[in-house]
Amino acid sequence: MTAAVEDNLRNLGLDVIDVVNMRFMGGGAGHGPSEEPIARQMEQMVKRQERGLIKHIGISNVTLAQTRVAREMADIVCVQNLYNLANRGDDEMIDELAKAGIAYVPFFPLGGFSPLQSDELAAVAQDVDASALQVALAWLLRRSPNILLIPGTSSVDHLRENVEAATLKLDADAMAALDKIGK
């Protein structure tokens, strides 16, 4: 990890990196998080921060218990995990992080290699005159104020479509229908 941070500093021409997101490889189902101890890796991150190489620490691919351990060791600015309408395992974590003012960055917000699809999603999309993927992004933005989206895009038109998702208004009925998808 030390070499990676120093390589990034050199390659980017920086003296300090604003945020380093430490991804824990875990080995859980589907390469998701597992309950492996993370204290040793976190100690290394804290040392890099103390040396002034990084300003802020983020963590990725972690469980709620690991997040709590990391937060005891350092100020964590963000957590990045798999989360979307259909994969809602981090609901409790998102709520806990929101109370602490910590950003949550869902990866695969649109389902990843298998884009999100459901009758409920399609119906809400039709009702609000938007694409299903725009509705999925709008749901994430409305789900919690600490959710920070970084959806992938393949074109300028796709980028515009993603940005327009922030303007969608989802009423209580739409949110209730969407909330059923991941439960």
Side-chain angles (χ1 to χ4, degrees):
M1 178 184 47
T2 301
V5 169
E6 291 173 2
D7 286 347
N8 281 326
L9 287 167
R10 185 177 52 261
N11 293 335
L12 296 170
L14 299 173
D15 295 322
V16 63
I17 298 175
D18 286 329
V19 178
V20 172
N21 219 17
M22 177 70 183
R23 180 170 171 81
F24 294 92
M25 297 314 287
H31 303 290
S34 66
E35 287 292 348
E36 298 295 320
I38 65 167
R40 186 177 59 76
Q41 296 98 321
M42 280 301 301
E43 286 172 2
Q44 295 301 312
M45 289 290 283
V46 170
K47 286 180 183 177
R48 300 308 162 277
Q49 189 176 40
E50 289 170 348
R51 284 183 48 205
L53 300 177
I54 59 176
K55 286 184 184 176
H56 306 285
I57 298 173
I59 55 177
S60 177
N61 204 39
V62 290
T63 65
L64 181 56
Q66 289 168 324
T67 300
R68 289 173 177 156
V69 168
R71 290 182 60 206
E72 289 174 6
M73 298 178 72
D75 288 331
I76 301 299
V77 297
C78 64
V79 173
Q80 184 177 33
N81 275 359
L82 172 64
Y83 188 81
N84 56 50
L85 267 171
N87 296 286
R88 306 267 302 279
D90 279 356
D91 279 338
E92 182 181 0
M93 183 188 304
I94 291 169
D95 295 340
E96 185 172 305
L97 295 174
K99 290 175 186 170
I102 298 171
Y104 183 91
V105 184
F107 62 77
F108 293 140
L110 298 174
F113 300 110
S114 300
L116 297 171
Q117 298 177 14
S118 79
D119 291 339
E120 293 88 354
L121 180 58
V124 171
Q126 184 175 358
D127 288 346
V128 298
D129 193 29
S131 74
L133 297 182
Q134 283 178 311
V135 170
L137 292 175
W139 176 85
L140 283 165
L141 290 171
R142 179 129 181 242
R143 162 64 182 84
S144 183
N146 66 322
I147 290 183
L148 172 64
L149 289 179
I150 309 174
T153 186
S154 57
S155 67
V156 173
D157 287 340
H158 188 218
L159 174 64
R160 286 185 186 109
E161 184 178 323
N162 286 345
V163 170
E164 288 173 9
T167 66
L168 289 181
K169 305 293 183 213
L170 300 176
D171 64 21
D173 290 339
M175 287 298 289
L178 296 170
D179 284 342
K180 291 177 187 175
I181 294 172
K183 301 279 179 166

PDB file of all heavy atoms in Angstrom, residues 98-127:
ATOM      1  N   ALA A  98     -25.012   8.322   7.696  1.00  0.00           N
ATOM      2  CA  ALA A  98     -25.702   9.606   7.504  1.00  0.00           C
ATOM      3  C   ALA A  98     -25.736  10.388   8.810  1.00  0.00           C
ATOM      4  O   ALA A  98     -25.495  11.604   8.826  1.00  0.00           O
ATOM      5  CB  ALA A  98     -27.111   9.389   6.963  1.00  0.00           C
ATOM      6  N   LYS A  99     -26.023   9.706   9.909  1.00  0.00           N
ATOM      7  CA  LYS A  99     -26.054  10.366  11.218  1.00  0.00           C
ATOM      8  C   LYS A  99     -24.693  10.947  11.587  1.00  0.00           C
ATOM      9  O   LYS A  99     -24.612  11.943  12.299  1.00  0.00           O
ATOM     10  CB  LYS A  99     -26.528   9.398  12.300  1.00  0.00           C
ATOM     11  CG  LYS A  99     -27.989   9.040  12.182  1.00  0.00           C
ATOM     12  CD  LYS A  99     -28.392   7.991  13.208  1.00  0.00           C
ATOM     13  CE  LYS A  99     -29.825   7.553  12.970  1.00  0.00           C
ATOM     14  NZ  LYS A  99     -30.175   6.377  13.775  1.00  0.00           N
ATOM     15  N   ALA A 100     -23.628  10.312  11.103  1.00  0.00           N
ATOM     16  CA  ALA A 100     -22.270  10.757  11.410  1.00  0.00           C
ATOM     17  C   ALA A 100     -21.724  11.732  10.361  1.00  0.00           C
ATOM     18  O   ALA A 100     -20.593  12.198  10.485  1.00  0.00           O
ATOM     19  CB  ALA A 100     -21.343   9.554  11.516  1.00  0.00           C
ATOM     20  N   GLY A 101     -22.515  12.023   9.320  1.00  0.00           N
ATOM     21  CA  GLY A 101     -22.061  12.946   8.284  1.00  0.00           C
ATOM     22  C   GLY A 101     -21.001  12.359   7.370  1.00  0.00           C
ATOM     23  O   GLY A 101     -20.171  13.085   6.817  1.00  0.00           O
ATOM     24  N   ILE A 102     -21.034  11.042   7.173  1.00  0.00           N
ATOM     25  CA  ILE A 102     -20.054  10.356   6.328  1.00  0.00           C
ATOM     26  C   ILE A 102     -20.726   9.959   5.013  1.00  0.00           C
ATOM     27  O   ILE A 102     -21.811   9.381   4.999  1.00  0.00           O
ATOM     28  CB  ILE A 102     -19.508   9.106   7.045  1.00  0.00           C
ATOM     29  CG1 ILE A 102     -18.782   9.522   8.339  1.00  0.00           C
ATOM     30  CG2 ILE A 102     -18.571   8.310   6.135  1.00  0.00           C
ATOM     31  CD1 ILE A 102     -18.389   8.363   9.232  1.00  0.00           C
ATOM     32  N   ALA A 103     -20.050  10.260   3.919  1.00  0.00           N
ATOM     33  CA  ALA A 103     -20.584   9.948   2.594  1.00  0.00           C
ATOM     34  C   ALA A 103     -20.603   8.443   2.344  1.00  0.00           C
ATOM     35  O   ALA A 103     -19.723   7.708   2.790  1.00  0.00           O
ATOM     36  CB  ALA A 103     -19.748  10.633   1.514  1.00  0.00           C
ATOM     37  N   TYR A 104     -21.618   8.018   1.615  1.00  0.00           N
ATOM     38  CA  TYR A 104     -21.727   6.634   1.170  1.00  0.00           C
ATOM     39  C   TYR A 104     -21.763   6.676  -0.354  1.00  0.00           C
ATOM     40  O   TYR A 104     -22.606   7.361  -0.948  1.00  0.00           O
ATOM     41  CB  TYR A 104     -22.992   5.967   1.724  1.00  0.00           C
ATOM     42  CG  TYR A 104     -23.092   4.510   1.339  1.00  0.00           C
ATOM     43  CD1 TYR A 104     -22.567   3.529   2.161  1.00  0.00           C
ATOM     44  CD2 TYR A 104     -23.683   4.131   0.149  1.00  0.00           C
ATOM     45  CE1 TYR A 104     -22.629   2.184   1.807  1.00  0.00           C
ATOM     46  CE2 TYR A 104     -23.757   2.797  -0.222  1.00  0.00           C
ATOM     47  CZ  TYR A 104     -23.227   1.826   0.606  1.00  0.00           C
ATOM     48  OH  TYR A 104     -23.291   0.520   0.236  1.00  0.00           O
ATOM     49  N   VAL A 105     -20.839   5.957  -0.985  1.00  0.00           N
ATOM     50  CA  VAL A 105     -20.705   5.958  -2.441  1.00  0.00           C
ATOM     51  C   VAL A 105     -21.039   4.558  -2.956  1.00  0.00           C
ATOM     52  O   VAL A 105     -20.229   3.636  -2.819  1.00  0.00           O
ATOM     53  CB  VAL A 105     -19.271   6.354  -2.867  1.00  0.00           C
ATOM     54  CG1 VAL A 105     -19.168   6.437  -4.381  1.00  0.00           C
ATOM     55  CG2 VAL A 105     -18.846   7.657  -2.198  1.00  0.00           C
ATOM     56  N   PRO A 106     -22.230   4.369  -3.520  1.00  0.00           N
ATOM     57  CA  PRO A 106     -22.579   3.037  -4.012  1.00  0.00           C
ATOM     58  C   PRO A 106     -21.864   2.730  -5.322  1.00  0.00           C
ATOM     59  O   PRO A 106     -21.867   3.551  -6.242  1.00  0.00           O
ATOM     60  CB  PRO A 106     -24.084   3.121  -4.228  1.00  0.00           C
ATOM     61  CG  PRO A 106     -24.376   4.564  -4.430  1.00  0.00           C
ATOM     62  CD  PRO A 106     -23.319   5.328  -3.689  1.00  0.00           C
ATOM     63  N   PHE A 107     -21.210   1.550  -5.359  1.00  0.00           N
ATOM     64  CA  PHE A 107     -20.718   1.150  -6.675  1.00  0.00           C
ATOM     65  C   PHE A 107     -21.733   0.211  -7.299  1.00  0.00           C
ATOM     66  O   PHE A 107     -22.554  -0.390  -6.617  1.00  0.00           O
ATOM     67  CB  PHE A 107     -19.283   0.604  -6.666  1.00  0.00           C
ATOM     68  CG  PHE A 107     -18.995  -0.636  -5.866  1.00  0.00           C
ATOM     69  CD1 PHE A 107     -19.355  -1.890  -6.333  1.00  0.00           C
ATOM     70  CD2 PHE A 107     -18.302  -0.558  -4.678  1.00  0.00           C
ATOM     71  CE1 PHE A 107     -19.052  -3.036  -5.624  1.00  0.00           C
ATOM     72  CE2 PHE A 107     -17.985  -1.694  -3.955  1.00  0.00           C
ATOM     73  CZ  PHE A 107     -18.365  -2.937  -4.429  1.00  0.00           C
ATOM     74  N   PHE A 108     -21.745   0.178  -8.610  1.00  0.00           N
ATOM     75  CA  PHE A 108     -22.786  -0.486  -9.403  1.00  0.00           C
ATOM     76  C   PHE A 108     -24.164   0.052  -9.040  1.00  0.00           C
ATOM     77  O   PHE A 108     -25.111  -0.707  -8.785  1.00  0.00           O
ATOM     78  CB  PHE A 108     -22.743  -2.004  -9.260  1.00  0.00           C
ATOM     79  CG  PHE A 108     -21.523  -2.649  -9.857  1.00  0.00           C
ATOM     80  CD1 PHE A 108     -20.896  -3.693  -9.209  1.00  0.00           C
ATOM     81  CD2 PHE A 108     -21.005  -2.219 -11.071  1.00  0.00           C
ATOM     82  CE1 PHE A 108     -19.766  -4.300  -9.749  1.00  0.00           C
ATOM     83  CE2 PHE A 108     -19.877  -2.812 -11.620  1.00  0.00           C
ATOM     84  CZ  PHE A 108     -19.263  -3.855 -10.951  1.00  0.00           C
ATOM     85  N   PRO A 109     -24.332   1.392  -9.026  1.00  0.00           N
ATOM     86  CA  PRO A 109     -25.633   1.965  -8.660  1.00  0.00           C
ATOM     87  C   PRO A 109     -26.740   1.602  -9.639  1.00  0.00           C
ATOM     88  O   PRO A 109     -27.916   1.690  -9.298  1.00  0.00           O
ATOM     89  CB  PRO A 109     -25.373   3.472  -8.659  1.00  0.00           C
ATOM     90  CG  PRO A 109     -24.223   3.660  -9.585  1.00  0.00           C
ATOM     91  CD  PRO A 109     -23.370   2.432  -9.410  1.00  0.00           C
ATOM     92  N   LEU A 110     -26.348   1.167 -10.837  1.00  0.00           N
ATOM     93  CA  LEU A 110     -27.344   0.782 -11.835  1.00  0.00           C
ATOM     94  C   LEU A 110     -27.337  -0.723 -12.082  1.00  0.00           C
ATOM     95  O   LEU A 110     -27.860  -1.194 -13.079  1.00  0.00           O
ATOM     96  CB  LEU A 110     -27.106   1.545 -13.138  1.00  0.00           C
ATOM     97  CG  LEU A 110     -27.239   3.065 -13.012  1.00  0.00           C
ATOM     98  CD1 LEU A 110     -26.858   3.769 -14.307  1.00  0.00           C
ATOM     99  CD2 LEU A 110     -28.640   3.439 -12.578  1.00  0.00           C
ATOM    100  N   GLY A 111     -26.703  -1.466 -11.190  1.00  0.00           N
ATOM    101  CA  GLY A 111     -26.724  -2.920 -11.284  1.00  0.00           C
ATOM    102  C   GLY A 111     -25.464  -3.542 -11.850  1.00  0.00           C
ATOM    103  O   GLY A 111     -25.333  -4.753 -11.875  1.00  0.00           O
ATOM    104  N   GLY A 112     -24.554  -2.756 -12.352  1.00  0.00           N
ATOM    105  CA  GLY A 112     -23.306  -3.306 -12.874  1.00  0.00           C
ATOM    106  C   GLY A 112     -23.497  -3.987 -14.216  1.00  0.00           C
ATOM    107  O   GLY A 112     -24.096  -3.442 -15.128  1.00  0.00           O
ATOM    108  N   PHE A 113     -22.994  -5.224 -14.298  1.00  0.00           N
ATOM    109  CA  PHE A 113     -23.032  -5.951 -15.560  1.00  0.00           C
ATOM    110  C   PHE A 113     -24.431  -6.446 -15.911  1.00  0.00           C
ATOM    111  O   PHE A 113     -24.690  -6.821 -17.044  1.00  0.00           O
ATOM    112  CB  PHE A 113     -22.048  -7.123 -15.513  1.00  0.00           C
ATOM    113  CG  PHE A 113     -20.644  -6.672 -15.284  1.00  0.00           C
ATOM    114  CD1 PHE A 113     -20.001  -6.920 -14.085  1.00  0.00           C
ATOM    115  CD2 PHE A 113     -19.957  -5.965 -16.263  1.00  0.00           C
ATOM    116  CE1 PHE A 113     -18.705  -6.495 -13.865  1.00  0.00           C
ATOM    117  CE2 PHE A 113     -18.663  -5.521 -16.050  1.00  0.00           C
ATOM    118  CZ  PHE A 113     -18.030  -5.789 -14.855  1.00  0.00           C
ATOM    119  N   SER A 114     -25.329  -6.457 -14.945  1.00  0.00           N
ATOM    120  CA  SER A 114     -26.727  -6.835 -15.162  1.00  0.00           C
ATOM    121  C   SER A 114     -27.595  -5.647 -14.748  1.00  0.00           C
ATOM    122  O   SER A 114     -27.991  -5.529 -13.593  1.00  0.00           O
ATOM    123  CB  SER A 114     -27.106  -8.054 -14.315  1.00  0.00           C
ATOM    124  OG  SER A 114     -26.299  -9.143 -14.649  1.00  0.00           O
ATOM    125  N   PRO A 115     -27.858  -4.733 -15.683  1.00  0.00           N
ATOM    126  CA  PRO A 115     -28.627  -3.535 -15.327  1.00  0.00           C
ATOM    127  C   PRO A 115     -29.941  -3.873 -14.627  1.00  0.00           C
ATOM    128  O   PRO A 115     -30.555  -4.902 -14.885  1.00  0.00           O
ATOM    129  CB  PRO A 115     -28.887  -2.867 -16.683  1.00  0.00           C
ATOM    130  CG  PRO A 115     -27.782  -3.358 -17.559  1.00  0.00           C
ATOM    131  CD  PRO A 115     -27.498  -4.773 -17.092  1.00  0.00           C
ATOM    132  N   LEU A 116     -30.327  -2.987 -13.729  1.00  0.00           N
ATOM    133  CA  LEU A 116     -31.542  -3.165 -12.941  1.00  0.00           C
ATOM    134  C   LEU A 116     -32.760  -3.258 -13.841  1.00  0.00           C
ATOM    135  O   LEU A 116     -32.921  -2.467 -14.765  1.00  0.00           O
ATOM    136  CB  LEU A 116     -31.714  -1.992 -11.986  1.00  0.00           C
ATOM    137  CG  LEU A 116     -30.630  -1.812 -10.941  1.00  0.00           C
ATOM    138  CD1 LEU A 116     -30.825  -0.484 -10.218  1.00  0.00           C
ATOM    139  CD2 LEU A 116     -30.642  -2.959  -9.952  1.00  0.00           C
ATOM    140  N   GLN A 117     -33.621  -4.223 -13.529  1.00  0.00           N
ATOM    141  CA  GLN A 117     -34.867  -4.397 -14.257  1.00  0.00           C
ATOM    142  C   GLN A 117     -35.917  -4.929 -13.300  1.00  0.00           C
ATOM    143  O   GLN A 117     -35.647  -5.836 -12.519  1.00  0.00           O
ATOM    144  CB  GLN A 117     -34.707  -5.390 -15.412  1.00  0.00           C
ATOM    145  CG  GLN A 117     -33.724  -4.951 -16.461  1.00  0.00           C
ATOM    146  CD  GLN A 117     -33.560  -6.004 -17.547  1.00  0.00           C
ATOM    147  OE1 GLN A 117     -34.351  -6.929 -17.652  1.00  0.00           O
ATOM    148  NE2 GLN A 117     -32.539  -5.846 -18.350  1.00  0.00           N
ATOM    149  N   SER A 118     -37.085  -4.356 -13.355  1.00  0.00           N
ATOM    150  CA  SER A 118     -38.224  -4.886 -12.600  1.00  0.00           C
ATOM    151  C   SER A 118     -39.480  -4.204 -13.107  1.00  0.00           C
ATOM    152  O   SER A 118     -39.423  -3.101 -13.670  1.00  0.00           O
ATOM    153  CB  SER A 118     -38.063  -4.654 -11.098  1.00  0.00           C
ATOM    154  OG  SER A 118     -38.400  -3.333 -10.763  1.00  0.00           O
ATOM    155  N   ASP A 119     -40.588  -4.861 -12.893  1.00  0.00           N
ATOM    156  CA  ASP A 119     -41.868  -4.288 -13.314  1.00  0.00           C
ATOM    157  C   ASP A 119     -42.148  -2.990 -12.554  1.00  0.00           C
ATOM    158  O   ASP A 119     -42.646  -2.019 -13.135  1.00  0.00           O
ATOM    159  CB  ASP A 119     -43.005  -5.285 -13.093  1.00  0.00           C
ATOM    160  CG  ASP A 119     -42.917  -6.485 -14.032  1.00  0.00           C
ATOM    161  OD1 ASP A 119     -42.239  -6.371 -15.086  1.00  0.00           O
ATOM    162  OD2 ASP A 119     -43.507  -7.532 -13.710  1.00  0.00           O
ATOM    163  N   GLU A 120     -41.831  -2.985 -11.246  1.00  0.00           N
ATOM    164  CA  GLU A 120     -42.072  -1.792 -10.432  1.00  0.00           C
ATOM    165  C   GLU A 120     -41.242  -0.616 -10.937  1.00  0.00           C
ATOM    166  O   GLU A 120     -41.727   0.512 -11.044  1.00  0.00           O
ATOM    167  CB  GLU A 120     -41.752  -2.053  -8.956  1.00  0.00           C
ATOM    168  CG  GLU A 120     -42.665  -3.040  -8.275  1.00  0.00           C
ATOM    169  CD  GLU A 120     -42.202  -4.490  -8.426  1.00  0.00           C
ATOM    170  OE1 GLU A 120     -41.214  -4.762  -9.155  1.00  0.00           O
ATOM    171  OE2 GLU A 120     -42.850  -5.364  -7.827  1.00  0.00           O
ATOM    172  N   LEU A 121     -39.979  -0.874 -11.245  1.00  0.00           N
ATOM    173  CA  LEU A 121     -39.103   0.182 -11.747  1.00  0.00           C
ATOM    174  C   LEU A 121     -39.613   0.718 -13.082  1.00  0.00           C
ATOM    175  O   LEU A 121     -39.684   1.936 -13.292  1.00  0.00           O
ATOM    176  CB  LEU A 121     -37.677  -0.353 -11.884  1.00  0.00           C
ATOM    177  CG  LEU A 121     -36.605   0.609 -12.405  1.00  0.00           C
ATOM    178  CD1 LEU A 121     -36.503   1.848 -11.534  1.00  0.00           C
ATOM    179  CD2 LEU A 121     -35.252  -0.112 -12.477  1.00  0.00           C
ATOM    180  N   ALA A 122     -39.996  -0.171 -13.967  1.00  0.00           N
ATOM    181  CA  ALA A 122     -40.520   0.250 -15.271  1.00  0.00           C
ATOM    182  C   ALA A 122     -41.796   1.073 -15.116  1.00  0.00           C
ATOM    183  O   ALA A 122     -41.994   2.077 -15.818  1.00  0.00           O
ATOM    184  CB  ALA A 122     -40.772  -0.978 -16.152  1.00  0.00           C
ATOM    185  N   ALA A 123     -42.671   0.679 -14.197  1.00  0.00           N
ATOM    186  CA  ALA A 123     -43.933   1.404 -13.994  1.00  0.00           C
ATOM    187  C   ALA A 123     -43.678   2.810 -13.459  1.00  0.00           C
ATOM    188  O   ALA A 123     -44.289   3.785 -13.928  1.00  0.00           O
ATOM    189  CB  ALA A 123     -44.839   0.630 -13.045  1.00  0.00           C
ATOM    190  N   VAL A 124     -42.781   2.931 -12.481  1.00  0.00           N
ATOM    191  CA  VAL A 124     -42.471   4.260 -11.948  1.00  0.00           C
ATOM    192  C   VAL A 124     -41.827   5.109 -13.032  1.00  0.00           C
ATOM    193  O   VAL A 124     -42.154   6.292 -13.182  1.00  0.00           O
ATOM    194  CB  VAL A 124     -41.564   4.159 -10.698  1.00  0.00           C
ATOM    195  CG1 VAL A 124     -41.057   5.540 -10.290  1.00  0.00           C
ATOM    196  CG2 VAL A 124     -42.318   3.497  -9.550  1.00  0.00           C
ATOM    197  N   ALA A 125     -40.934   4.527 -13.809  1.00  0.00           N
ATOM    198  CA  ALA A 125     -40.281   5.274 -14.889  1.00  0.00           C
ATOM    199  C   ALA A 125     -41.313   5.810 -15.882  1.00  0.00           C
ATOM    200  O   ALA A 125     -41.237   6.966 -16.304  1.00  0.00           O
ATOM    201  CB  ALA A 125     -39.261   4.384 -15.598  1.00  0.00           C
ATOM    202  N   GLN A 126     -42.278   4.988 -16.210  1.00  0.00           N
ATOM    203  CA  GLN A 126     -43.329   5.435 -17.133  1.00  0.00           C
ATOM    204  C   GLN A 126     -44.142   6.562 -16.503  1.00  0.00           C
ATOM    205  O   GLN A 126     -44.448   7.561 -17.163  1.00  0.00           O
ATOM    206  CB  GLN A 126     -44.235   4.269 -17.515  1.00  0.00           C
ATOM    207  CG  GLN A 126     -45.288   4.655 -18.535  1.00  0.00           C
ATOM    208  CD  GLN A 126     -46.108   3.461 -18.998  1.00  0.00           C
ATOM    209  OE1 GLN A 126     -45.883   2.319 -18.591  1.00  0.00           O
ATOM    210  NE2 GLN A 126     -47.072   3.732 -19.855  1.00  0.00           N
ATOM    211  N   ASP A 127     -44.465   6.445 -15.221  1.00  0.00           N
ATOM    212  CA  ASP A 127     -45.263   7.459 -14.533  1.00  0.00           C
ATOM    213  C   ASP A 127     -44.559   8.820 -14.480  1.00  0.00           C
ATOM    214  O   ASP A 127     -45.228   9.855 -14.517  1.00  0.00           O
ATOM    215  CB  ASP A 127     -45.589   7.025 -13.099  1.00  0.00           C
ATOM    216  CG  ASP A 127     -46.619   5.913 -13.057  1.00  0.00           C
ATOM    217  OD1 ASP A 127     -47.279   5.645 -14.094  1.00  0.00           O
ATOM    218  OD2 ASP A 127     -46.761   5.305 -11.973  1.00  0.00           O
TER     219      ASP A 127
END
